[in-house]
Short mmCIF file of all heavy atoms in Angstrom, two decimals:
data_model
loop_
_atom_site.label_atom_id
_atom_site.label_comp_id
_atom_site.label_asym_id
_atom_site.label_seq_id
_atom_site.Cartn_x
_atom_site.Cartn_y
_atom_site.Cartn_z
N TYR A 1 0.05 13.18 1.68
CA TYR A 1 0.66 11.90 1.44
C TYR A 1 -0.25 10.91 0.75
O TYR A 1 -1.46 10.84 1.01
CB TYR A 1 1.10 11.28 2.78
CG TYR A 1 2.20 12.04 3.47
CD1 TYR A 1 1.92 12.97 4.44
CD2 TYR A 1 3.53 11.82 3.13
CE1 TYR A 1 2.91 13.70 5.07
CE2 TYR A 1 4.54 12.51 3.76
CZ TYR A 1 4.24 13.45 4.73
OH TYR A 1 5.24 14.14 5.35
N ALA A 2 0.37 10.14 -0.12
CA ALA A 2 -0.28 8.93 -0.57
C ALA A 2 -0.19 7.91 0.53
O ALA A 2 0.78 7.88 1.30
CB ALA A 2 0.42 8.41 -1.84
N MET A 3 -1.18 7.06 0.63
CA MET A 3 -1.23 6.07 1.72
C MET A 3 -1.29 4.67 1.14
O MET A 3 -1.93 4.43 0.11
CB MET A 3 -2.44 6.30 2.59
CG MET A 3 -2.48 7.65 3.28
SD MET A 3 -1.10 7.89 4.46
CE MET A 3 -1.45 6.58 5.65
N GLY A 4 -0.59 3.79 1.78
CA GLY A 4 -0.56 2.41 1.33
C GLY A 4 -0.72 1.43 2.46
O GLY A 4 -0.47 1.75 3.63
N TRP A 5 -1.16 0.24 2.10
CA TRP A 5 -1.18 -0.90 3.02
C TRP A 5 -0.23 -1.95 2.48
O TRP A 5 -0.24 -2.27 1.28
CB TRP A 5 -2.57 -1.50 3.15
CG TRP A 5 -3.52 -0.69 3.99
CD1 TRP A 5 -4.43 0.23 3.57
CD2 TRP A 5 -3.62 -0.72 5.42
NE1 TRP A 5 -5.11 0.76 4.64
CE2 TRP A 5 -4.63 0.21 5.78
CE3 TRP A 5 -2.97 -1.46 6.43
CZ2 TRP A 5 -4.99 0.41 7.12
CZ3 TRP A 5 -3.32 -1.22 7.74
CH2 TRP A 5 -4.33 -0.31 8.08
N PHE A 6 0.57 -2.51 3.37
CA PHE A 6 1.50 -3.53 3.05
C PHE A 6 1.34 -4.67 4.07
O PHE A 6 0.78 -4.49 5.12
CB PHE A 6 2.95 -3.03 3.09
CG PHE A 6 3.24 -1.96 2.06
CD1 PHE A 6 2.85 -0.66 2.23
CD2 PHE A 6 3.91 -2.31 0.89
CE1 PHE A 6 3.11 0.31 1.30
CE2 PHE A 6 4.19 -1.34 -0.07
CZ PHE A 6 3.80 -0.02 0.13
N ARG A 7 1.83 -5.82 3.70
CA ARG A 7 1.80 -6.94 4.64
C ARG A 7 3.10 -7.72 4.55
O ARG A 7 3.80 -7.71 3.57
CB ARG A 7 0.60 -7.85 4.36
CG ARG A 7 0.61 -8.54 3.01
CD ARG A 7 -0.73 -9.23 2.77
NE ARG A 7 -0.75 -9.93 1.50
CZ ARG A 7 -1.84 -10.50 0.98
NH1 ARG A 7 -3.00 -10.44 1.64
NH2 ARG A 7 -1.75 -11.13 -0.18
N GLN A 8 3.37 -8.41 5.65
CA GLN A 8 4.61 -9.15 5.73
C GLN A 8 4.43 -10.39 6.60
O GLN A 8 3.80 -10.34 7.66
CB GLN A 8 5.73 -8.26 6.30
CG GLN A 8 7.10 -8.87 6.22
CD GLN A 8 8.18 -7.86 6.52
OE1 GLN A 8 7.95 -6.89 7.23
NE2 GLN A 8 9.37 -8.07 5.98
N VAL A 9 5.01 -11.48 6.15
CA VAL A 9 5.07 -12.70 6.92
C VAL A 9 6.52 -13.03 7.21
O VAL A 9 7.40 -12.58 6.47
CB VAL A 9 4.37 -13.88 6.20
CG1 VAL A 9 2.91 -13.56 5.96
CG2 VAL A 9 5.07 -14.16 4.88
N PRO A 10 6.81 -13.79 8.25
CA PRO A 10 8.19 -14.10 8.56
C PRO A 10 8.94 -14.71 7.39
O PRO A 10 8.43 -15.62 6.73
CB PRO A 10 8.06 -15.07 9.73
CG PRO A 10 6.78 -14.72 10.38
CD PRO A 10 5.87 -14.35 9.24
N GLY A 11 10.13 -14.22 7.17
CA GLY A 11 10.97 -14.77 6.12
C GLY A 11 10.69 -14.26 4.73
O GLY A 11 11.36 -14.70 3.78
N LYS A 12 9.74 -13.37 4.57
CA LYS A 12 9.40 -12.86 3.25
C LYS A 12 9.50 -11.35 3.23
O LYS A 12 9.47 -10.67 4.26
CB LYS A 12 7.99 -13.31 2.85
CG LYS A 12 7.81 -14.80 2.71
CD LYS A 12 6.44 -15.15 2.18
CE LYS A 12 6.26 -14.70 0.74
NZ LYS A 12 4.94 -15.12 0.17
N GLU A 13 9.62 -10.86 2.01
CA GLU A 13 9.67 -9.40 1.82
C GLU A 13 8.32 -8.77 2.14
O GLU A 13 7.28 -9.42 2.00
CB GLU A 13 10.05 -9.09 0.37
CG GLU A 13 11.44 -9.55 -0.04
CD GLU A 13 12.52 -8.65 0.47
OE1 GLU A 13 12.26 -7.43 0.64
OE2 GLU A 13 13.64 -9.13 0.74
N ARG A 14 8.38 -7.55 2.54
CA ARG A 14 7.16 -6.81 2.73
C ARG A 14 6.46 -6.65 1.37
O ARG A 14 7.08 -6.25 0.39
CB ARG A 14 7.44 -5.46 3.37
CG ARG A 14 6.19 -4.71 3.81
CD ARG A 14 6.55 -3.60 4.77
NE ARG A 14 7.12 -4.12 6.01
CZ ARG A 14 7.41 -3.37 7.08
NH1 ARG A 14 7.18 -2.07 7.05
NH2 ARG A 14 7.93 -3.93 8.14
N GLU A 15 5.19 -6.92 1.35
CA GLU A 15 4.42 -6.99 0.11
C GLU A 15 3.41 -5.86 0.02
O GLU A 15 2.66 -5.59 0.98
CB GLU A 15 3.69 -8.33 0.02
CG GLU A 15 2.80 -8.49 -1.19
CD GLU A 15 1.91 -9.70 -1.10
OE1 GLU A 15 1.70 -10.22 0.01
OE2 GLU A 15 1.44 -10.16 -2.16
N PHE A 16 3.36 -5.24 -1.12
CA PHE A 16 2.34 -4.24 -1.39
C PHE A 16 0.97 -4.88 -1.43
O PHE A 16 0.79 -5.96 -2.04
CB PHE A 16 2.63 -3.55 -2.72
CG PHE A 16 1.47 -2.76 -3.24
CD1 PHE A 16 1.17 -1.52 -2.70
CD2 PHE A 16 0.71 -3.23 -4.29
CE1 PHE A 16 0.11 -0.78 -3.18
CE2 PHE A 16 -0.37 -2.49 -4.78
CZ PHE A 16 -0.65 -1.27 -4.21
N VAL A 17 0.00 -4.25 -0.83
CA VAL A 17 -1.37 -4.72 -0.83
C VAL A 17 -2.29 -3.76 -1.56
O VAL A 17 -3.01 -4.14 -2.48
CB VAL A 17 -1.89 -4.95 0.60
CG1 VAL A 17 -3.35 -5.37 0.59
CG2 VAL A 17 -1.04 -6.00 1.31
N ALA A 18 -2.28 -2.52 -1.13
CA ALA A 18 -3.16 -1.51 -1.71
C ALA A 18 -2.62 -0.13 -1.44
O ALA A 18 -1.86 0.08 -0.49
CB ALA A 18 -4.58 -1.66 -1.13
N ARG A 19 -2.99 0.81 -2.27
CA ARG A 19 -2.63 2.20 -2.01
C ARG A 19 -3.69 3.12 -2.57
O ARG A 19 -4.49 2.73 -3.43
CB ARG A 19 -1.27 2.53 -2.61
CG ARG A 19 -1.18 2.42 -4.15
CD ARG A 19 0.22 2.74 -4.61
NE ARG A 19 0.42 2.48 -6.02
CZ ARG A 19 0.20 3.36 -7.00
NH1 ARG A 19 -0.22 4.58 -6.71
NH2 ARG A 19 0.41 3.02 -8.26
N VAL A 20 -3.69 4.31 -2.07
CA VAL A 20 -4.62 5.33 -2.49
C VAL A 20 -3.89 6.66 -2.58
O VAL A 20 -3.04 6.97 -1.73
CB VAL A 20 -5.85 5.41 -1.54
CG1 VAL A 20 -5.41 5.71 -0.11
CG2 VAL A 20 -6.86 6.43 -2.01
N THR A 21 -4.19 7.41 -3.60
CA THR A 21 -3.57 8.70 -3.77
C THR A 21 -4.06 9.69 -2.72
O THR A 21 -5.02 9.44 -2.01
CB THR A 21 -3.83 9.26 -5.17
OG1 THR A 21 -5.24 9.29 -5.41
CG2 THR A 21 -3.16 8.38 -6.22
N TRP A 22 -3.40 10.81 -2.64
CA TRP A 22 -3.71 11.78 -1.58
C TRP A 22 -5.15 12.27 -1.65
O TRP A 22 -5.75 12.56 -0.60
CB TRP A 22 -2.76 12.98 -1.65
CG TRP A 22 -2.91 13.81 -2.89
CD1 TRP A 22 -2.24 13.69 -4.06
CD2 TRP A 22 -3.81 14.90 -3.05
NE1 TRP A 22 -2.65 14.62 -4.97
CE2 TRP A 22 -3.61 15.40 -4.38
CE3 TRP A 22 -4.77 15.54 -2.24
CZ2 TRP A 22 -4.34 16.47 -4.89
CZ3 TRP A 22 -5.48 16.60 -2.76
CH2 TRP A 22 -5.28 17.09 -4.06
N SER A 23 -5.69 12.32 -2.84
CA SER A 23 -7.06 12.79 -3.01
C SER A 23 -8.10 11.71 -2.75
O SER A 23 -9.27 11.99 -2.57
CB SER A 23 -7.27 13.36 -4.41
OG SER A 23 -7.17 12.31 -5.37
N GLY A 24 -7.64 10.47 -2.74
CA GLY A 24 -8.54 9.34 -2.61
C GLY A 24 -9.23 8.94 -3.90
O GLY A 24 -10.04 8.01 -3.91
N SER A 25 -8.89 9.60 -4.99
CA SER A 25 -9.58 9.37 -6.25
C SER A 25 -9.05 8.15 -7.01
O SER A 25 -9.77 7.64 -7.87
CB SER A 25 -9.51 10.60 -7.14
OG SER A 25 -8.14 10.91 -7.43
N ASN A 26 -7.87 7.73 -6.69
CA ASN A 26 -7.28 6.61 -7.40
C ASN A 26 -6.80 5.57 -6.41
O ASN A 26 -6.11 5.88 -5.43
CB ASN A 26 -6.12 7.06 -8.27
CG ASN A 26 -6.58 7.91 -9.43
OD1 ASN A 26 -7.27 7.44 -10.31
ND2 ASN A 26 -6.19 9.20 -9.41
N LYS A 27 -7.17 4.34 -6.70
CA LYS A 27 -6.84 3.23 -5.81
C LYS A 27 -6.20 2.11 -6.62
O LYS A 27 -6.56 1.87 -7.77
CB LYS A 27 -8.08 2.72 -5.10
CG LYS A 27 -8.81 3.78 -4.28
CD LYS A 27 -10.13 3.27 -3.74
CE LYS A 27 -10.85 4.36 -2.99
NZ LYS A 27 -12.14 3.88 -2.46
N TYR A 28 -5.26 1.42 -5.99
CA TYR A 28 -4.53 0.38 -6.67
C TYR A 28 -4.36 -0.80 -5.71
O TYR A 28 -4.20 -0.62 -4.51
CB TYR A 28 -3.15 0.88 -7.12
CG TYR A 28 -3.25 2.10 -7.98
CD1 TYR A 28 -3.27 3.39 -7.42
CD2 TYR A 28 -3.32 2.00 -9.37
CE1 TYR A 28 -3.37 4.52 -8.21
CE2 TYR A 28 -3.43 3.12 -10.16
CZ TYR A 28 -3.45 4.38 -9.58
OH TYR A 28 -3.54 5.51 -10.37
#
């Protein structure tokens, strides 16, 4: 799996924060 971190505050959409590919070689 690719893994991601997201965040959310009340009343707002869940927001992308960061992600990493399955190998860990690429980060966004």
Side-chain angles (χ1 to χ4, degrees):
Y1 294 95
M3 300 295 298
W5 284 96
F6 296 79
R7 63 189 181 188
Q8 189 168 27
V9 299
K12 297 185 67 177
E13 296 283 330
R14 190 164 296 186
E15 177 191 20
F16 166 76
V17 177
R19 63 181 172 90
V20 59
T21 54
W22 67 268
S23 67
S25 61
N26 293 293
K27 303 173 182 179
Y28 305 88

